[in-house]
């Protein structure tokens, strides 16, 4: 039996509303994932893309991934990882041939060979096919296709080529980064293409014993029990607040049947939404305890509360957002929208803002003062040109 851990979408180096998350990511990887690999005696870790959050990740993120790979190599645990749409395929591919000697296998970019990696368990060989993010233009370039491709056709071409390399009768695992049709997405995922043009049918992976997917941050099956998204390492948007994050522990038996177990991971700071009136949050400490989680507050109040962000931040030290979904649109500023706002002067906009915030109008002296300040700003801008 081959036991491995399926994970994806680490997004190392991620910023969350201006806050650097690398320390939280380090805590999860080093204090929870590494012990899990050891305790469960996993023989391999599969990371299905989006290792980093952007093509040129910060040094701290690269150091963290380097440390993880080193510890896996020292423990003689194999690692398979691919580039996602957030990764730089060339940078991720660096050193791949050297790392194979340590049991670290990476495919940052497509190649025409697409040869599988063959590993062994006590029942014999297992073929692992690594499919990095497959953009249609890239597939056309690598495989010399002249016709225009959509995502579905591009994936079909790559999988057809790679399946020709699979030994007959060998158990197989696919690792891919794609949006399979029917999947549930989150706000933190970068769209692969406009509309639904990036959708790929799960059926193209039907011949594999198990398909380890990345890109969608919500853990879910994709068309079949053996085609799975592990979900992201952490919650990366507030619409993921109710999602459970973790990894999949997978056992592949001698017949190629896969048994998956979801193992939750708990970050140092949760991502939460709080919904209540300001008075409730301020005075009911039993129901609304102080917290250093990453919090978005949705106030049920119908009027604006002055300096509410700083008042709430005294309760939620990592407050990110304050929303007013029930705000009554009585102020003149909120009655203006779209192109109409662009036609208003700065003085008019400020006057409307002041009235909305204080329920009072600017008096003559205040208007004169604002006018003078704006004239100074305009003059400074002209002098700077």
């Amino acid at each position: 039996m081959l036991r491995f851990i399926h994970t994806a979408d680490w997004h190392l180096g991620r910023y969350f509303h201006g806050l650097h998350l690398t320390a939280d990511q380090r805590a999860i990887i080093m204090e929870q994932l590494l012990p899990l690999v050891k305790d469960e005696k996993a023989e391999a870790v599969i990371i299905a893309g989006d290792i980093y959050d952007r093509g040129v990740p910060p040094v701290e993120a690269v150091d963290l991934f380097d440390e993880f790979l080193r510890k896996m190599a020292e423990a003689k645990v194999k690692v398979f990882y691919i580039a996602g749409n957030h990764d730089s395929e060339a940078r991720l591919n660096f050193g791949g041939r050297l790392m194979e000697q340590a049991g670290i296998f990476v495919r940052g970019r497509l190649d025409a060979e697409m040869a599988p990696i063959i590993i062994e368990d006590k029942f014999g060989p297992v073929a692992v096919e690594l499919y990095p993010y497959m953009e249609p233009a890239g597939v056309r370039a690598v495989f010399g296709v002249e016709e225009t491709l959509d995502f579905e056709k591009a994936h079909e071409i790559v999988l057809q080529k790679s399946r020709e390399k699979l030994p007959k009768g060998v158990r197989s695992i696919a690792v891919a980064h794609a949006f399979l049709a029917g999947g549930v997405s989150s706000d933190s995922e970068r769209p692969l293409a406009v509309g639904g043009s990036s959708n790929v049918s799960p059926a193209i992976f039907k011949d594999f014993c198990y398909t380890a997917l990345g890109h969608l941050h919500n853990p879910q099956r994709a068309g079949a029990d053996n085609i799975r998204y592990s979900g992201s390492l952490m919650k990366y948007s507030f619409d993921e607040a109710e999602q459970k994050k973790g990894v999949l522990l997978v056992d592949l038996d001698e017949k190629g049947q896969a048994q998956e177990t979801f193992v939750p991971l708990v970050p140092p700071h949760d991502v939460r939404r709080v919904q209540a009136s300001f008075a409730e949050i301020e005075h009911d400490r039993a129901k609304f305890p102080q917290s250093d989680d990453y919090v978005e507050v949705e106030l049920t109040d119908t009027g604006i509360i002055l300096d509410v962000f700083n008042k709430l931040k005294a309760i939620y030290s990592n407050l990110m957002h304050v929303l007013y979904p029930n705000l009554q649109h009585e102020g003149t500023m909120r009655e203006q929208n779209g192109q109409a706002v662009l036609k208003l002067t700065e003085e008019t906009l400020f006057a409307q803002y002041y009235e909305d915030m204080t329920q009072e109008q600017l008096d003559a002296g205040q208007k004169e003062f604002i006018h003078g300040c704006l004239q100074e700003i305009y003059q400074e801008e002209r002098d700077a040109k």
Side-chain angles (χ1 to χ4, degrees), residues 259-329:
Q259 181 67 44
E260 312 88 12
T261 303
F262 182 78
V263 181
L265 299 175
V266 182
H269 306 90
D270 198 3
V271 171
R272 296 194 296 117
R273 278 175 165 157
V274 175
Q275 184 180 46
S277 69
F278 175 72
E280 290 175 301
I281 297 172
E282 186 179 38
H283 299 298
D284 192 345
R285 210 38 79 244
K287 187 175 180 180
F288 301 99
Q290 287 189 304
S291 172
D292 63 356
D293 287 340
Y294 305 134
V295 173
E296 178 181 77
V297 174
E298 186 175 288
L299 292 175
T300 57
D301 301 83
T302 57
I304 291 177
I305 299 166
L306 290 178
D307 199 29
V308 70
F309 191 91
N310 287 324
K311 291 175 181 176
L312 289 171
K313 199 169 178 64
I315 303 169
Y316 304 117
S317 58
N318 286 317
L319 177 66
M320 303 295 181
H321 269 167
V322 178
L323 305 175
Y324 281 94
N326 300 324
L327 191 64
Q328 291 182 354
H329 290 192

Side-chain angles (χ1 to χ4, degrees), residues 225-274:
D225 287 337
N226 64 334
I227 304 175
R228 295 270 181 169
Y229 286 97
S230 66
S232 56
L233 184 73
M234 292 175 54
K235 300 175 182 179
Y236 291 125
S237 66
F238 283 106
D239 80 323
E240 297 178 29
E242 301 303 318
Q243 294 179 11
K244 301 298 182 183
K245 301 298 184 179
V247 299
L248 288 167
L249 181 65
V250 185
D251 289 323
L252 190 70
D253 66 18
E254 68 273 20
K255 296 181 180 179
Q257 297 294 313
Q259 181 67 44
E260 312 88 12
T261 303
F262 182 78
V263 181
L265 299 175
V266 182
H269 306 90
D270 198 3
V271 171
R272 296 194 296 117
R273 278 175 165 157
V274 175

Side-chain angles (χ1 to χ4, degrees), residues 312-377:
L312 289 171
K313 199 169 178 64
I315 303 169
Y316 304 117
S317 58
N318 286 317
L319 177 66
M320 303 295 181
H321 269 167
V322 178
L323 305 175
Y324 281 94
N326 300 324
L327 191 64
Q328 291 182 354
H329 290 192
E330 296 175 351
T332 55
M333 181 179 70
R334 288 185 294 277
E335 292 173 357
Q336 304 285 350
N337 54 57
Q339 293 297 317
V341 173
L342 299 179
K343 298 177 182 178
L344 300 178
T345 66
E346 284 85 352
E347 290 182 52
T348 301
L349 288 170
F350 185 85
Q352 291 181 354
Y353 174 74
Y354 181 86
E355 184 176 345
D356 279 1
M357 295 296 291
T358 66
Q359 306 304 311
E360 297 178 359
Q361 294 184 350
L362 291 170
D363 60 32
Q366 291 170 323
K367 289 181 179 179
E368 184 177 353
F369 176 77
I370 296 301
H371 177 78
C373 290
L374 288 170
Q375 291 306 310
E376 289 183 17
I377 292 172

Side-chain angles (χ1 to χ4, degrees), residues 81-84 87-94 105-111 130-133:
Y81 64 99
I82 60 172
D87 297 309
S88 164
E89 57 181 33
R91 289 185 176 89
L92 205 68
N93 224 47
F94 178 79
F105 302 93
V106 55
R107 181 164 284 155
R109 57 189 170 199
L110 292 169
D111 62 68
L130 300 180
Y131 300 107
Y133 172 55

